[in-house]
Amino acid sequence: MEHVTVSEEPSAALMYHVERPVFNEGYIDSELLHRKKRTSKSVQRRIAEHLRCSSEKAKSVVFGFLPILTWLPSYQLKEYLFGDIVSGISTGVMQLPQGLAYAMLAAVPPVFGLYSSFYPVLLYTFFGTSKHISIGTFAVISLMIGGVAVREAPDSMFAVNGTNASQVVDFEARDARRVEVVVALTTLVGIIQLVLGLLRFGFLAIYLTEPLVRGFTTAAAVHVSVSQVKYLLGVHTARFNGPLSVVYSLDAVFRNIASTNVVTLIIGLVCMVFLYIIKDLNERFKKKLPIPIPGEIIVVIVSTGVSYGMVMSENYGVEVVGKIPTGLLPPKIPDFSVFPNLFPDAFAISVVGFSIAISLAKTFALKHGYSVDGNQELIALGLCNFMSSFFHTFVVTASMSRSLVQESTGGHTEIAGLLASILVLLVVVAIGFVFQPLPTTVLAAIIMVNLLGMFKQLKDIPALWRTSKIELAIWLVSFFASVLLGLDYGLVVAMGFAILTVIYRTQCPKNALLGQIPDTELYFDVDEYEEAEECSGIKIFQSNTSIYFANSDLYVSALKAKTGIDPAKLLAGRKSQLKYAKRDNGAKKAVNHCSSVKKNAVVLLDVELGVTHEVVAGPMKQMDHVYTNGQMNENHTESESEEDFFLQRLTPIHTIILDFTPVNFIDSVGAKTIKSVIKEFATVDVKVVLAGCSRTLLSELRTLKFFCEPVTPDLIFPTIHDAVLHCKRSRDVPVCPEVQ
């Protein structure tokens, strides 16, 4: 029986002593553990319970769908209001220029960036669960949207004379069509996110591992930066999309670099330097500054005033934002006819947008000690995109830079986002026309400076090189595939490669032989630890992988390689030895001698065991289904005759213990493989037992009919130490219990 004692002396090391019998699975399942009696519910009853309505269930559903009802009644005005006001104003001031700038990336007029900075932010206040992320326009998503808009409505479709020769484009018609495409895309993204959220698919983001997302967003930063070079230089080039679009865009810029507008370039560079200095100051003195210096809005206001005063558009040819209508547009039903062409892009954008939002939400939730619901976040984003699309918005997600500002300036709840959206609304309704003289090069400068944080992710490369080569490979493949193939194809390639790395890890696990730490029940890799000592006649094999159809053969190969025991080779060697023994001894003498000894030395096995030894006799008769336990006859004397070879053990190892502690699951192929291993090693008198199986794994093995002769639950042990103690005591017990 088990007896546990704990040292009570405070200064002594904590000790425990356990004394109990050696357990195997047969004893545990029949004597030690007894399953609880459970009455299975019928399908009808389960459906009825699921659909049954109660006041508590209704309340839970409503509060889950509208999280604002859980925190707004307990909102602490004195403690939270001032911080939310400061945070809302700071975030709103930042959201204005970013909305204008990211609309350029989305290939739509700037005012639609302002619409996208109002409606979705307002809706997220009611449906979102994160208190700190800032929903709105984001560079990566905007660029992906712009690629779709340019593909579906290229300039060539709106050439005035119907040819590409003159390059005269009806910009008004082109922009109107692109807005229709983008709005339809946003509707479809919202539907996908909403459906996935209702189906509880919030776990999808886990398949976008952090190295993949960081490599992808860094590649997106490259795409965004390259797309803004032409605005910074003031040159006119076509917008490219698809594989090698970065190369084509750079080539087009360099071909037209002679037409650079010097005034545009100077304005852009000055704004970039100013914004960089402001960002650096905000970072250095963030603990001393009550709110960050709003460098972006300062640049926008000053450059707009200078451009208006100097009439830069007419006098110097500086490209400006242009007409910004005042007020909000009436709602409009999206063009559903383009949905079939947009679905693949919509799915990629919806997954990427959700992944970015939930990663930021979880970061802030962990920092401030609250929880976010991934499924509700997916529903919230879906509602924000779907409902807002009827008011001419494009896809939104959480912004990294704005979220940091919202959190660092004292934001406590979603009220900060609500106030930011109200500030954007005031600009759209009242003073949007003021920004019409704003040079586009200023927006390009804002975008490029905001991308510096993403380019800092290049520091991941040396860090991953030191920690995980596989994650480094995921990062690099995600980056280069997205840069060269485009963000849509690049994301598919990156996700496929990430899945392949999982398969690779199961195909190339770490295999080890374990040894015992003296005077303990601990077993560790003998190749890594000097204290680990192998047990005499026993090999303990561990492979840190599950066993299924894709790696079962590799598992067996690793087992044979590590233990140094290959039954097929050992039997072939025995056969060769018997051949030479026959040649050295007289045929007649060998037949007579062999016949007398075989009767005392062999035993019949169960037919299912499938054990076969070839014993060379006079007429070369084959003995089927025989098994030897390796014990010598008392009256036998040493000689080089063939019966000596037959009775000698083929290997000094009598037991192999398979450590199944790392095995999470096993399929039918894996179960059959392990069963065949047990049978195969029995042919060379080596017993194979299992140790460390979880209850879930044992349940799977029972379902797979694993426990049938010659494999019984008595071959399964709860720990390695149980197996070792058992095998040391009964090293010569045959695999099959019926064998006497």
Side-chain angles (χ1 to χ4, degrees):
M1 296 299 292
E2 182 174 341
H3 177 66
V4 181
T5 60
V6 181
S7 174
E8 297 181 356
E9 297 181 13
S11 59
L14 188 63
M15 304 284 289
Y16 78 86
H17 306 276
V18 179
E19 183 179 349
R20 64 169 175 82
V22 172
F23 292 151
N24 59 37
E25 183 55 32
Y27 176 81
I28 291 175
D29 196 47
S30 61
E31 302 293 337
L32 189 63
L33 296 180
H34 300 87
R35 294 186 177 274
K36 293 181 177 180
K37 294 182 179 179
R38 296 180 180 178
T39 56
S40 58
K41 298 179 181 179
S42 63
V43 177
Q44 294 180 348
R45 184 177 177 185
R46 291 180 181 179
I47 295 175
E49 289 181 356
H50 183 73
L51 297 179
R52 184 179 299 161
C53 186
S54 64
S55 58
E56 292 184 0
K57 191 172 183 179
K59 183 179 179 181
S60 175
V61 171
V62 172
F63 278 34
F65 188 69
L66 285 170
I68 190 173
L69 299 177
T70 61
W71 58 265
L72 188 60
S74 59
Y75 185 82
Q76 302 176 22
L77 287 174
K78 293 182 178 180
E79 185 176 352
Y80 292 161
L81 185 59
F82 179 75
D84 283 340
I85 291 175
V86 173
S87 177
I89 294 174
S90 303
T91 307
V93 166
M94 192 175 181
Q95 205 152 18
L96 286 169
Q98 287 191 3
L100 295 170
Y102 294 152
M104 294 171 54
L105 294 177
V108 294
V111 69
F112 292 94
L114 297 180
Y115 299 155
S116 302
S117 300
F118 167 63
Y119 291 107
V121 183
L122 180 66
L123 290 170
Y124 186 81
T125 304
F126 297 91
F127 299 105
T129 60
S130 175
K131 301 176 182 179
H132 295 92
I133 62 172
S134 174
I135 293 294
T137 56
F138 186 57
V140 175
I141 299 298
S142 299
L143 185 67
M144 296 178 74
I145 296 167
V148 177
V150 172
R151 184 192 70 207
E152 296 296 323
D155 290 346
S156 57
M157 287 181 59
F158 303 94
V160 173
N161 58 358
T163 66
N164 295 328
S166 62
Q167 294 296 320
V168 177
V169 178
D170 186 350
F171 293 106
E172 186 173 348
R174 182 203 66 181
D175 290 346
R177 180 56 184 167
R178 287 183 177 178
V179 168
E180 290 180 354
V181 171
V182 168
V183 168
L185 177 65
T186 305
T187 305
L188 190 54
V189 168
I191 293 173
I192 292 173
Q193 290 178 332
L194 186 57
V195 170
L196 291 177
L198 293 174
L199 294 177
R200 318 300 289 176
F201 270 71
F203 65 88
L204 269 179
I206 65 176
Y207 291 101
L208 293 178
T209 177
E210 184 180 2
L212 186 151
V213 173
R214 292 176 72 87
F216 176 80
T217 52
T218 306
V222 174
H223 278 276
V224 173
S225 299
V226 170
S227 70
Q228 296 307 297
V229 171
K230 64 179 183 180
Y231 296 108
L232 191 66
L233 299 177
V235 299
H236 297 278
T237 63
R239 180 165 178 165
F240 298 93
N241 187 44
L244 300 179
S245 58
V246 170
V247 177
Y248 296 143
S249 297
L250 289 175
D251 178 68
V253 168
F254 285 121
R255 288 179 183 274
N256 294 275
I257 199 167
S259 61
T260 299
N261 187 309
V262 179
V263 176
T264 299
L265 178 60
I266 292 174
I267 294 173
L269 292 177
V270 169
C271 291
M272 287 182 67
V273 172
F274 177 78
L275 288 172
Y276 180 80
I277 293 173
I278 294 298
K279 280 188 174 294
D280 187 61
L281 291 174
N282 285 335
E283 184 65 26
R284 289 188 179 185
F285 302 103
K286 60 182 178 181
K287 294 183 179 180
K288 297 181 179 180
L289 293 172
I291 60 172
I293 302 173
E296 293 173 344
I297 197 66
I298 292 173
V299 163
V300 167
I301 293 174
V302 172
S303 59
T304 300
V306 172
S307 175
Y308 177 78
M310 299 180 64
V311 196
M312 286 187 173
S313 177
E314 297 178 4
N315 296 338
Y316 301 100
V318 175
E319 188 174 348
V320 296
V321 168
K323 184 179 179 181
I324 297 180
T326 301
L328 300 172
L329 297 177
K332 182 181 178 182
I333 297 177
D335 182 7
F336 298 107
S337 64
V338 297
F339 274 20
N341 296 337
L342 304 181
F343 185 81
D345 304 283
F347 188 82
I349 292 172
S350 62
V351 173
V352 173
F354 170 65
S355 176
I356 293 170
I358 194 64
S359 60
L360 279 174
K362 287 184 176 180
T363 300
F364 289 118
L366 183 64
K367 181 178 179 180
H368 293 277
Y370 63 93
S371 61
V372 292
D373 184 347
N375 292 308
Q376 181 58 31
E377 284 297 299
L378 199 48
I379 292 173
L381 276 178
L383 288 171
C384 289
N385 286 314
F386 175 72
M387 297 176 67
S388 300
S389 66
F390 292 90
F391 297 91
H392 313 279
T393 65
F394 55 84
V395 182
V396 298
T397 187
S399 167
M400 193 178 304
S401 57
R402 292 197 308 272
S403 297
L404 289 172
V405 169
Q406 182 168 317
E407 186 259 350
S408 62
T409 52
H412 297 285
T413 66
E414 290 89 331
I415 293 295
L418 176 64
L419 295 175
S421 67
I422 292 175
L423 180 61
V424 174
L425 175 64
L426 293 176
V427 172
V428 172
V429 172
I431 59 173
F433 65 92
V434 172
F435 298 106
Q436 291 180 171
L438 175 64
T440 56
T441 186
V442 176
L443 299 179
I446 292 172
I447 292 173
M448 297 181 77
V449 173
N450 279 323
L451 293 175
L452 291 177
M454 291 188 185
F455 281 115
K456 289 180 180 179
Q457 294 176 156
L458 290 168
K459 295 179 181 179
D460 292 348
I461 296 177
L464 291 174
W465 174 262
R466 292 188 296 268
T467 57
S468 174
K469 303 296 191 300
I470 293 180
E471 290 190 346
L472 173 62
I474 294 174
W475 197 103
L476 292 174
V477 168
S478 178
F479 175 78
F480 286 110
S482 301
V483 168
L484 297 176
L485 302 179
L487 297 180
D488 45 4
Y489 294 119
L491 179 62
V492 173
V493 171
M495 292 183 68
F497 182 79
I499 294 173
L500 287 177
T501 61
V502 176
I503 299 174
Y504 168 78
R505 293 190 186 199
T506 64
Q507 297 289 80
C508 300
K510 181 181 179 181
N511 305 307
L513 288 179
L514 305 184
Q516 184 181 16
I517 305 301
D519 301 322
T520 72
E521 80 291 355
L522 303 177
Y523 293 83
F524 295 105
D525 189 350
V526 295
D527 293 332
E528 290 191 12
Y529 302 99
E530 295 179 357
E531 294 81 3
E533 299 177 358
E534 288 195 73
C535 303
S536 177
I538 300 174
K539 293 287 186 180
I540 306 171
F541 177 74
Q542 182 190 74
S543 181
N544 61 336
T545 182
S546 295
I547 306 171
Y548 63 110
F549 68 93
N551 69 347
S552 57
D553 290 340
L554 297 175
Y555 183 91
V556 176
S557 299
L559 170 64
K560 294 177 180 179
K562 272 290 183 181
T563 59
I565 303 174
D566 188 335
K569 291 182 179 179
L570 290 176
L571 290 175
R574 168 60 58 85
K575 185 177 180 181
S576 177
Q577 289 177 331
L578 289 173
K579 182 178 179 181
Y580 285 111
K582 178 188 173 184
R583 187 183 65 180
D584 294 340
N585 295 276
K588 185 176 181 179
K589 181 180 178 182
V591 170
N592 296 333
H593 194 187
C594 181
S595 299
S596 62
V597 176
K598 281 188 292 180
K599 294 179 181 179
N600 298 323
V602 302
V603 291
L604 293 178
L605 286 184
D606 190 282
V607 174
E608 187 181 352
L609 193 57
V611 180
T612 302
H613 282 291
E614 286 191 2
V615 181
V616 179
M620 295 297 291
K621 181 180 178 182
Q622 179 175 330
M623 294 290 293
D624 294 327
H625 309 299
V626 296
Y627 175 90
T628 175
N629 60 14
Q631 293 180 341
M632 300 293 289
N633 189 287
E634 293 180 358
N635 298 323
H636 182 75
T637 58
E638 293 186 6
S639 68
E640 295 300 322
S641 60
E642 59 186 273
E643 62 268 24
D644 291 313
F645 289 112
F646 177 75
L647 292 175
Q648 290 173 358
R649 295 191 64 89
L650 294 176
T651 172
I653 305 302
H654 59 78
T655 306
I656 292 177
I657 300 173
L658 303 181
D659 179 17
F660 269 34
T661 305
V663 179
N664 293 320
F665 69 92
I666 189 169
D667 67 356
S668 60
V669 176
K672 290 178 182 177
T673 300
I674 298 301
K675 199 168 183 178
S676 67
V677 164
I678 295 174
K679 295 179 181 180
E680 184 181 7
F681 277 81
T683 63
V684 292
D685 201 15
V686 176
K687 182 178 180 180
V688 178
V689 301
L690 279 58
C693 298
S694 67
R695 308 310 300 176
T696 304
L697 186 64
L698 287 170
S699 178
E700 290 180 1
L701 290 175
R702 290 190 181 93
T703 303
L704 296 170
K705 308 298 182 183
F706 182 75
F707 296 113
C708 59
E709 297 300 338
V711 182
T712 66
D714 294 338
L715 296 178
I716 315 296
F717 296 88
T719 67
I720 298 176
H721 199 52
D722 281 287
V724 170
L725 293 177
H726 171 81
C727 296
K728 281 183 176 180
R729 182 173 181 179
S730 54
R731 63 175 61 185
D732 292 318
V733 175
V735 175
C736 186
E738 285 75 14
V739 176
Q740 301 298 328

